[in-house]
Structure formats: C-alpha cells, structure tokens
Amino acid sequence: MSPSDRYEELKRLIAHHAKQYYDQDDPEISDYDYDQLMRELREIEQEHPEFVTPDSPSQRVGGSAKREAGVLVRHNVPMLSLQDVFSKEEVFAFVADMQEQLENPEFVVEYKIDGLSLVLRYENGVLKLAETRGDGINFGEDVTANAKVIRDVKKKLKQPLPYLEVRGEVYMTNEDFMKVNERQEMAGKRLFANPRNCAAGTLRQLDTAVTKERGLSLFIFNIQQERGAGFLTHTQGYEYLKKQGIRVIEDYRVCHTAQEVWEAVCAIGENRGNLPYDIDGAVVKLNSLADRERLGATSKVPRWAVAYKYPPEEKVAKILDIEISVGRTGRITPTAVFEPVRLCGTSVSRATLHNQDFIDQLDVGIGDYVKVYKSGEIIPKIREVVKERREPCVHRFQIPDVCPVCGTKTVREKDTADTKCPSPACPAQIERRIINFVSRDAMDIKGFGTVYIEELVRRGYIRDIADIFVLKDHRGNMIEEGIIGKEKNTDKLLDAIEGAKQRDAYQLLTGFGIPNVGKAAAKAVMKHFGTIERLAQAQTEELTEVPDIGEVSAGCIRNFFADETNQRMIARMKEAGVNMERIVQEGESDCLGGMTFVITGTLPNMERKQAAELIERNGGKVSGSVSKKTTCLLAGENAGSKLTKAESLGVRVIGEAELLEMVKEK
C-alpha cells in the first residue's frame, strides 16, 4: 500500500473509532491500539506534510458536542487533549526539551484517570455550570443538573474566589460499575462494556435520579482559570482545592530529573492493578503555571505536558479447567477457567477458547500456564501458552464428541470450525433461544431474566418459545414453587408477557433467532410481506426481492419455516394471541424508498436518532459512512469530515428542513 493510500485508510479508521469512543461511548478497540493508529498517522504526516488536511484526526481534539443532556455551552478555556508518548526515550526527550527551554523546571507526575472530562465553573464560591468536553475547542454540553448529584462535586466552596474553573475526570469505581451491571442484568437490560462507557452515558442522560443511583465519582486534575488567588504552581492549586473538600488526583509526585520522572511513571504502572478504578496512563506536566503560560499550546495539545500510555496488561495464569457450553444454535463453546488475575483494574478468571481449531492452534490443555490479556481493555483473551512451564501430564484439550447437556453426538459443520449439538430439544439451546427471544432487540419482555429462564426450562415449564405465552396457566404452581418470587413478582412478569403479544411482527421474527436475520433484516422482510403467514409461504426467489436479503439469508428463512416443529410452535403462538402482523406506523410511506442517507452534525430540532427513524419510516435507509452509494447527506452544525467527503463525491447535502419537505411531498 502506498503512503497516501495508507494515510487515507488511517484517517477512515481513526475517524470511525473516535466516533465509537467519543460519540457512541462504545469503543471497539483498546486505547493502546487507537494510540498506535494515531502514532502511525503522525509519522506519515511528518514524512509527507503535503498530505495534511483540516479534517485530519491530528488536527482535531475531541468528539462532537451533543444535546442529550442539555444545551451547548461555549468553553472559556479549550479542553485540549495531551500528547501521547509510549517509551522511556520519549519521556526523557520531553524532560530534556523542557530543561532546554526553561530554568530548572519542576514536574508533577500523576494518574491519568480513564473517564469523561468535566469542567466546573464557580462564581463567588457557588457552582454555576458543569460542562463536558464536547468538541474540545468551542462547545461542550451543559450537564450541571447531573453534576450536582455526583458525590464528589462540591456545590459551594469554603474559601470562595471571585471566579474558579477546574477540570476533572468523571469515572466509576469498579465496585460501583459491577453494581450497575448487576441491576441492568436483573432488569433484563443491556450491560455496559466498561466503567468509562457507563460513566459517560450516565453523565449525558436526562434523569438525575439515575445519575445519583449509579454513583459516579470525580477527580479534579487542573485549575483552568481563577481570579483572586494568584497560584504559582499546580501543586499549590491542589492544596487549595483539598482545603475546599475537592478531590484531586491522588499520590502525585513532584520530580526534577528525567530519572525521577521515569521512576514515578513506573511506580504508577506497577500499582495500576491495585487501584479501585481504571487508569490509562500517567501524566507528566510542568508544575510552574508561569512556565505553562510561557510555552502555551498547539491547536490540539499543551506544550507543557505529555501522557505516557502503558502497554496492555498481560498476566500469566494456570488453566484449572475447560468448561463446555451450548448456545441457542447448538454451537459448542469451550471456555478456559484459570486462576484469577487482575487486568485493567478488574479480576478475570475466564476466557473463551472459541473452537477446536483455536485450541489446536494454541496447543492448550488443562494445567497449562497461559498469557492472558484484555482485548479492547474489556474482553479477557488468551494470547499464548507458556510452553516452558508445561508439565508432562498436560495434553492438548479435545472437545468431547457428545453434547455435555443432552448427550447427543456432536457434529462438525461443513466448511466451518464449529462443533454443534444437533438436537433441537437440548435444554441449553432452549435456554439460549428464550434469552434471545425476550431480549430488548426482539420481544423486549422486561424483567424476564436469565435466572428465571433457566429455572423454568429446568422444571419443564418451557420447552420452546410458544410455552412462554401459556405460562399464565401455571401461575399457581409457579407461585407455590417460588420460581419468580411471590404473587407480585410473578404477576408482573406474566403481565409483561401478555403485553408482548402485541409487539410488531418484525420483533417476533427477530426473536426467532434465524441465522443471518437480525433486527434490520427482520424489519425489511416484514415490510415486504406484512404477515408471518405470508412470509412462511414465500419462496427463495421472492425473499431475495427484499433489499439486503441474499440467497444465504433467504435459505435460512425458508429452512426455518419449512421445519414442522417451528410450524407447530408458530401455530401455538397464534392460538395464544401473539400478533403475527406488521404494525403500520402513523405517517409511514415509501417516499424515500431506494434512498440511502448519512446523518452528521447537530440538527436544529431533531436528535439524529429521531431523524433516522423518520427516514426508515418512510422507506429510506440510514448508513454510518459516506460513499458513492449515498443518496443524501443530512448535515447539521459541526458536520465535519463527512460533509467534506460528501462534497468531494458529489453527494447531495440537505438540511433538516429539506428532509421534512421530502417527506411531506408524499
């Protein structure tokens, strides 16, 4: 690949992952992997400065400012990011650069908390505004109401100044994060991927009661502006803040030489696994505020600080067992159970081994010592076996040739690495199918948790999906046996099941769990056929007429409805009163049929989600990236690189008003 092609590819990759991190709070790769992409991009830009354009990730600071939690507010001081460094040599080079420009500079080394940046503005000692980072330069979101219920946010200072603006990091302790996910699971809701995602989503949502319940925390790491104190150093400011009861970054060190700085960085790295919260690096900054002022900043980073990023943590652990589980399609998954180790602030003891091919490639067995890491700093994975520690009695693990749940002989699917249990009556498969069916993306039966499903299957109340809708006939026995709890909890679940009978047929189709037919495909299919009955009679040729349904998906749908067991199940559901027809929404049309839209920027009156629903309700499709196939780019304020790309490709650019006119024309 040529440097220019690789540069364009890096821009696309970084833009995508930045959006997942800043705007969606749902990162797909680790901070370390993202940093390596940025580093490669900057190296290419140094060698080819002619490549650099205003939409380069190196020229931007943060994400986009959104309107979920409040109005947009203008930053008094830009909330810049920090220049990342990854080696001892780079840390020494930064210290040497500071020593060359300044006389006897003093450095502070402190934790870099993995959270969401927040600025607090105090006037005469009273909290007046809390704002998020937003785009980092111009605008952030007003989240004052949510900030006021965070336990570490002081609403009034003991020794007020005329004006004080401080910047900190909102985060969640690992303990609070686990409690939130436990509540999410009990409620049948989606679990958060990690503490940072949870903290970011919580701070931006609208219900302050939810914010308070989730127990966010805050560390302050900088005084942005002040009037009336005249602090000379960063640490002097910290001492003032501590007297006000404000939490500042813990265990910071003041250093004078490069070696002292490096030792402080290493000490933080060695201790990161023992902290009750996540950190993603160590910050090295000048202590003197006058020196900071003298050096200033680039358009993106201050010149007086760097962030050292630690490589992903990796620990060696001994495999104690390999457990076998069966999924809803019968797929058998081996999972390694190993001695608990701490990675990225949490204790982990399990990692998937995927399939027999993966086991063979690793050459792993029970009793082996393996190197464990976290992919994306979220999912535990095994990197390799430490062969020099293997004992003579340890042998490569072999997935058994019978299902561990029902005893049926397993099969290896043709052209795949999957081993499966072929029995549709396997209790493990039934459990997984029910879990998928009641999930939020399918029938959305709230309160129907995994524990209840497992118990109902185990006791024989549920043998297939249709049995869910006749559970009311067993109300008395269920209460007597305490499966769901007392009368109140049992009736609450039965009422939720009764309400689910009226769901749209696309949700029912999604819940069937047909391979290659997810939520989006189910919507398109039901829009075309209207009823489950018509869909069940459709032939492959007719199915492939539906947009985005190819022969493979069509074949999966045909196989599902041709199965006599599934036919009987659907008949029982229909008899129980489950809706089998598509619900036509108010204002629905096909006026945008065949058109593909991309949405970017902040719209005047609609959230982007609302705009997407409007487009889809009128027959259009919404994509996440601009291409030659894009019909229109719906652009609001701060449209950014998507607007640039749309203009370069000649894609039509419209505003919210034009979209509404297009819909009206129907």
Side-chain angles (χ1 to χ4, degrees):
M1 186 178 291
S2 69
S4 62
D5 289 342
R6 177 56 178 165
Y7 181 67
E8 290 301 319
E9 181 182 50
L10 285 168
K11 283 169 62 177
R12 287 194 297 272
L13 284 170
I14 292 168
H16 169 74
H17 291 302
K19 178 178 180 180
Q20 293 300 117
Y21 183 88
Y22 288 113
D23 295 348
Q24 306 297 329
D25 301 319
D26 188 19
E28 296 174 353
I29 62 175
S30 69
D31 288 354
Y32 180 82
D33 292 336
Y34 178 83
D35 292 337
Q36 296 309 304
L37 293 175
M38 282 293 295
R39 195 177 195 186
E40 184 181 353
L41 178 128
R42 289 194 180 99
E43 287 173 353
I44 293 177
E45 289 183 340
Q46 286 179 350
E47 294 178 11
H48 300 277
E50 69 276 11
F51 290 174
V52 183
T53 57
D55 69 334
S56 167
S58 68
Q59 306 302 304
R60 299 199 309 273
V61 178
S64 61
K66 299 185 283 186
R67 294 181 186 267
E68 292 172 13
V71 298
L72 300 185
V73 291
R74 185 175 290 277
H75 295 314
N76 283 345
V77 180
M79 297 173 70
L80 301 177
S81 56
L82 292 174
Q83 177 67 49
D84 295 330
V85 295
F86 301 91
S87 66
K88 178 180 179 180
E89 291 72 25
E90 288 177 290
V91 172
F92 272 57
F94 169 73
V95 173
D97 185 37
M98 296 297 99
Q99 290 173 334
E100 185 177 325
Q101 297 184 63
L102 305 166
E103 187 176 347
N104 299 321
E106 200 169 58
F107 302 90
V108 178
V109 182
E110 58 192 32
Y111 299 149
K112 186 176 185 295
I113 309 296
D114 189 14
L116 182 77
S117 274
L118 182 72
V119 157
L120 304 176
R121 298 183 192 175
Y122 293 88
E123 295 178 12
N124 296 315
V126 178
L127 178 62
K128 293 295 185 181
L129 178 74
E131 61 171 321
T132 63
R133 187 181 187 194
D135 62 17
I137 299 294
N138 298 308
F139 296 99
E141 304 159 58
D142 183 344
V143 291
T144 309
N146 279 338
K148 284 182 176 180
V149 299
I150 297 175
R151 56 196 170 204
D152 297 323
V153 172
K154 296 298 177 184
K155 293 182 276 295
K156 194 171 183 179
L157 305 182
K158 299 173 184 176
Q159 300 170 301
L161 296 174
Y163 182 79
L164 177 68
E165 182 172 320
V166 294
R167 179 176 173 184
E169 201 81 359
V170 176
Y171 69 98
M172 293 189 77
T173 65
N174 295 319
E175 182 181 358
D176 284 330
F177 173 65
M178 290 174 63
K179 288 179 181 177
V180 169
N181 264 351
E182 284 173 4
R183 290 196 294 269
Q184 292 286 107
E185 186 172 14
M186 289 297 290
K189 297 179 180 179
R190 179 184 177 187
L191 301 186
F192 290 99
N194 55 44
R196 187 206 174 274
N197 286 15
C198 187
T202 300
L203 190 63
R204 285 171 170 156
Q205 54 80 52
L206 296 171
D207 190 345
T208 56
V210 173
T211 305
K212 186 174 183 179
E213 180 188 43
R214 288 181 181 170
L216 299 182
S217 299
L218 174 72
F219 277 127
I220 296 298
F221 62 79
N222 198 55
I223 293 179
Q224 301 284 86
Q225 270 187 345
E226 59 88 6
R227 291 195 295 272
F231 302 122
L232 299 178
T233 64
H234 176 69
T235 50
Q236 193 178 42
Y238 267 5
E239 293 306 312
Y240 165 80
L241 294 175
K242 285 192 283 187
K243 288 177 183 177
Q244 311 312 306
I246 292 176
R247 294 182 73 203
V248 299
I249 297 292
E250 299 172 332
D251 298 329
Y252 57 85
R253 295 193 189 186
V254 177
C255 306
H256 298 87
T257 67
Q259 186 60 36
E260 287 178 359
V261 167
W262 180 245
E263 288 173 0
V265 168
C266 292
I268 291 174
E270 290 169 3
N271 191 47
R272 65 188 293 208
N274 300 319
L275 297 172
Y277 47 81
D278 291 348
I279 65 171
D280 57 355
V283 178
V284 183
K285 58 177 73 170
L286 289 178
N287 195 17
S288 168
L289 301 182
D291 286 346
R292 293 183 183 185
E293 187 72 24
R294 188 176 302 120
L295 293 179
T298 68
S299 61
K300 187 174 182 182
V301 299
R303 294 188 177 92
W304 43 265
V306 293
Y308 176 82
K309 293 296 193 72
Y310 299 104
E313 279 190 285
E314 191 174 84
K315 298 284 180 67
V316 174
K318 183 178 181 179
I319 293 183
L320 306 176
D321 194 11
I322 295 178
E323 296 179 350
I324 302 297
S325 61
V326 184
R328 66 179 173 85
T329 62
R331 182 174 180 266
I332 290 176
T333 302
T335 300
V337 181
F338 43 83
E339 296 171 331
V341 292
R342 288 192 68 81
L343 288 172
C344 302
T346 59
S347 177
V348 296
S349 58
R350 303 169 66 85
T352 180
L353 292 173
H354 302 290
N355 51 51
Q356 190 62 52
D357 286 356
F358 185 79
I359 291 172
D360 293 344
Q361 183 181 348
L362 276 180
D363 189 22
V364 64
I366 298 172
D368 268 325
Y369 287 87
V370 293
K371 292 181 180 179
V372 184
Y373 70 104
K374 273 192 175 182
S375 174
E377 298 180 3
I378 299 169
I379 303 170
K381 291 189 177 182
I382 293 174
R383 189 179 302 281
E384 62 183 28
V385 175
V386 184
K387 291 291 181 65
E388 56 269 26
R389 296 187 66 177
R390 171 174 276 183
E391 298 174 358
C393 61
V394 176
H395 302 286
R396 182 188 302 169
F397 183 80
Q398 187 72 35
I399 295 175
D401 60 0
V402 294
C403 173
V405 177
C406 68
T408 302
K409 187 172 178 59
T410 58
V411 296
R412 172 79 178 255
E413 286 204 326
K414 186 180 179 181
D415 300 326
T416 76
D418 293 340
T419 302
K420 286 192 171 184
C421 167
S423 171
C426 177
Q429 294 184 54
I430 295 172
E431 289 173 9
R432 298 301 183 274
R433 284 198 292 271
I434 301 301
I435 290 169
N436 172 72
F437 185 80
V438 306
S439 68
R440 184 168 58 179
D441 280 344
M443 293 295 278
D444 192 19
I445 304 179
K446 291 181 172 57
F448 209 159
T450 302
V451 174
Y452 298 153
I453 291 169
E454 291 173 348
E455 195 64 14
L456 288 165
V457 171
R458 188 182 71 81
R459 295 179 186 239
Y461 287 102
I462 294 180
R463 293 183 176 86
D464 67 14
I465 290 169
D467 286 334
I468 293 173
F469 297 100
V470 294
L471 282 176
K472 62 181 180 180
D473 298 340
H474 306 288
R475 176 181 178 274
N477 289 340
M478 288 164 58
I479 292 172
E480 186 178 335
E481 295 175 31
I483 298 173
I484 311 300
K486 301 296 183 182
E487 290 186 21
K488 184 178 179 181
N489 285 345
T490 302
D491 287 340
K492 189 175 180 180
L493 177 59
L494 292 176
D495 287 345
I497 292 171
E498 197 65 22
K501 290 181 179 180
Q502 305 309 313
R503 297 277 191 265
D504 195 304
Y506 88 80
Q507 293 175 271
L508 182 63
L509 181 59
T510 305
F512 287 156
I514 301 172
N516 300 301
V517 182
K519 185 176 178 180
K523 279 186 175 181
V525 167
M526 291 313 303
K527 188 168 186 178
H528 184 89
F529 291 98
T531 69
I532 294 292
E533 187 177 15
R534 277 198 61 207
L535 173 61
Q537 302 302 317
Q539 300 302 308
T540 302
E541 296 76 13
E542 189 177 2
L543 287 164
T544 55
E545 292 175 6
V546 179
D548 299 327
I549 297 294
E551 290 189 6
V552 173
S553 298
C556 292
I557 294 171
R558 283 291 308 132
N559 291 340
F560 178 85
F561 286 104
D563 184 275
E564 291 184 3
T565 301
N566 291 335
Q567 290 173 7
R568 289 193 294 270
M569 178 188 72
I570 293 169
R572 288 178 60 218
M573 294 170 72
K574 187 175 181 179
E575 185 180 346
V578 177
N579 175 51
M580 299 279 166
E581 297 184 5
R582 176 174 174 266
I583 299 172
V584 179
Q585 298 184 21
E586 185 179 351
E588 188 175 317
S589 78
D590 284 316
C591 66
L592 303 181
M595 302 175 72
T596 300
F597 293 77
V598 174
I599 308 171
T600 187
T602 304
L603 302 175
N605 302 301
M606 282 193 288
E607 296 288 344
R608 285 198 277 189
K609 183 179 179 182
Q610 292 175 304
E613 289 173 351
L614 177 65
I615 291 166
E616 290 175 348
R617 193 161 63 242
N618 287 278
K621 286 178 56 179
V622 177
S623 174
S625 57
V626 177
S627 69
K628 292 180 180 179
K629 296 181 180 180
T630 304
T631 309
C632 295
L633 177 74
L634 175 59
E637 294 180 26
N638 303 316
S641 59
K642 287 182 181 177
L643 177 59
T644 305
K645 186 170 183 180
E647 290 171 341
S648 68
L649 293 174
V651 172
R652 180 184 174 190
V653 179
I654 64 172
E656 180 184 301
E658 289 176 84
L659 173 65
L660 295 173
E661 283 299 319
M662 292 170 71
V663 173
K664 279 182 183 178
E665 288 171 4
K666 70 178 184 288

